[in-house]
Amino acid sequence: MKFTKMHGIGNDYVYVNCFEETVKDPAAVAKFVSDRHFGIGSDGLILIRPSEIADCEMDMYNLDGSQGAMCGNGIRCVAKYVYDHGIVDKTSLSIATRSGIKYVDLAIRDGKASMVKVNMGSPILTAKEIPVVAETEQVIDAPITVAGKEYHMTAVSMGNPHAIIYVDDVDSLDLEKIGPSFENHVCFPDRVNTEFVQVIDRHTVKMRVWERGSGETLACGTGACAVTVASILNDKVDGSNPVTVQLLGGDLNISWERDENLVYMTGPATTVFDGEIDLGFLGE
């Protein structure tokens, strides 16, 4: 199987061009290639497929083999891949995902896509649609007890569920310990991505993320979007200007256009290397 290793500010995936390749068991392949000791090493697998309703389709799998709905960093890399490889010859394109069609604009440098702006769609704030078990229609600054400690949570879906928790210092958190407790909490029937956020100023926040099915990652695009929405709702930032979200892998610029209720994410996409791997033992 031929593949390309790519990352969006450190959120890395193995990408396969399914215009040319066939992957029979993507869940098993995802688990194998994601292993950082015996595989290629990544946060998961993303298949770039033909689509009848968009320029291409993004089909993503987490490192544990579970299928994901949407990945903001991943979709930027998909857009870069199809442009750089001549699959699409335009700078505004559509990409089908399990959470709907997303629209992308590319900035080109030296003939290659560099920065990518993604229309991430409208945030979902209704509890049952996120989904999160709650007594109120929306979950904004609501108490939640996890592993015997009370936190305050804001719940947002950007095609996948997010729980945003504000803390004084994100660097001191033991995410390996508390992350799984949030991910598998009874309040989240589909599990949840959890963002721990430190407010820097009215235009800047810093976050770490524990992603369902992948653990802590260097970046999460949908998480950065959810954090921006939550920070505006909680009056932590000035929502009239783009918010800089600082992640372990780099920065993303996020804006929530309230008049049209759309979230836009701008950030880089980077190709690391191309390769080929033998998956014969998996029956591929």
Side-chain angles (χ1 to χ4, degrees):
M1 180 185 78
K2 293 181 180 179
F3 68 89
T4 299
K5 175 77 174 287
M6 305 180 76
H7 77 86
I9 58 171
N11 191 194
D12 61 336
Y13 286 85
V14 171
Y15 293 79
V16 179
N17 179 358
C18 289
F19 286 79
E20 300 177 353
E21 298 277 340
T22 299
V23 180
K24 297 177 183 177
D25 188 351
V29 173
K31 287 190 283 187
F32 173 68
V33 300
S34 298
D35 191 290
R36 297 189 184 275
H37 298 286
F38 298 101
I40 298 165
S42 67
D43 292 325
L45 171 73
I46 291 181
L47 307 179
I48 304 172
R49 300 186 183 275
S51 171
E52 295 182 355
I53 59 174
D55 291 308
C56 65
E57 176 187 345
M58 178 179 80
D59 184 17
M60 67 165 293
Y61 295 82
N62 299 310
L63 59 80
D64 66 353
S66 61
Q67 191 173 22
M70 176 57 188
C71 174
N73 293 310
I75 201 170
R76 295 202 312 278
C77 291
V78 169
K80 175 178 173 61
Y81 185 98
V82 296
Y83 182 87
D84 289 359
H85 288 79
I87 296 172
V88 174
D89 62 354
K90 53 188 178 180
T91 57
S92 294
L93 57 147
S94 57
I95 300 174
T97 75
R98 288 186 66 210
S99 63
I101 298 175
K102 306 300 179 185
Y103 297 92
V104 178
D105 294 309
L106 306 176
I108 308 304
R109 185 173 61 194
D110 299 327
K112 303 287 186 181
S114 55
M115 297 294 288
V116 184
K117 181 179 181 180
V118 186
N119 178 344
M120 298 290 286
S122 300
I124 297 170
L125 301 175
T126 304
K128 65 180 180 181
E129 296 178 9
I130 292 174
V132 55
V133 177
E135 297 180 355
T136 55
E137 183 177 355
Q138 296 184 351
V139 180
I140 300 174
D141 195 31
I144 180 174
T145 301
V146 179
K149 181 177 178 180
E150 183 176 283
Y151 300 84
H152 279 76
M153 164 186 69
T154 297
V156 179
S157 173
M158 291 300 308
N160 47 8
H162 295 272
I164 295 89
I165 310 293
Y166 292 95
V167 298
D168 293 330
D169 178 17
V170 293
D171 295 328
S172 63
L173 293 175
D174 186 355
L175 246 59
E176 291 289 336
K177 181 178 180 180
I178 63 175
S181 297
F182 274 93
E183 177 182 355
N184 299 292
H185 194 280
V186 66
C187 282
F188 309 112
D190 292 341
R191 296 186 296 167
V192 74
N193 303 287
T194 310
E195 285 76 32
F196 299 89
V197 182
Q198 177 181 343
V199 178
I200 304 301
D201 56 38
R202 292 290 293 173
H203 306 285
T204 312
V205 297
K206 182 179 182 180
M207 67 171 256
R208 289 173 65 189
V209 56
W210 183 271
E211 294 196 52
R212 60 176 181 174
S214 293
E216 183 173 18
T217 60
L218 294 180
C220 177
T222 58
C225 293
V227 163
T228 298
V229 171
S231 297
I232 293 172
L233 290 174
N234 286 282
D235 195 29
K236 302 286 189 182
V237 298
D238 176 8
S240 63
N241 294 295
V243 175
T244 298
V245 182
Q246 299 176 348
L247 305 102
L248 293 179
D251 295 351
L252 292 173
N253 290 321
I254 313 294
S255 60
W256 182 18
E257 302 297 338
R258 301 294 291 275
D259 55 342
E260 54 186 359
N261 194 29
L262 294 173
V263 179
Y264 293 90
M265 172 191 63
T266 303
T270 304
T271 298
V272 183
F273 63 87
D274 298 310
E276 188 170 355
I277 190 168
D278 183 2
L279 299 175
F281 67 95
L282 292 175
E284 293 284 333

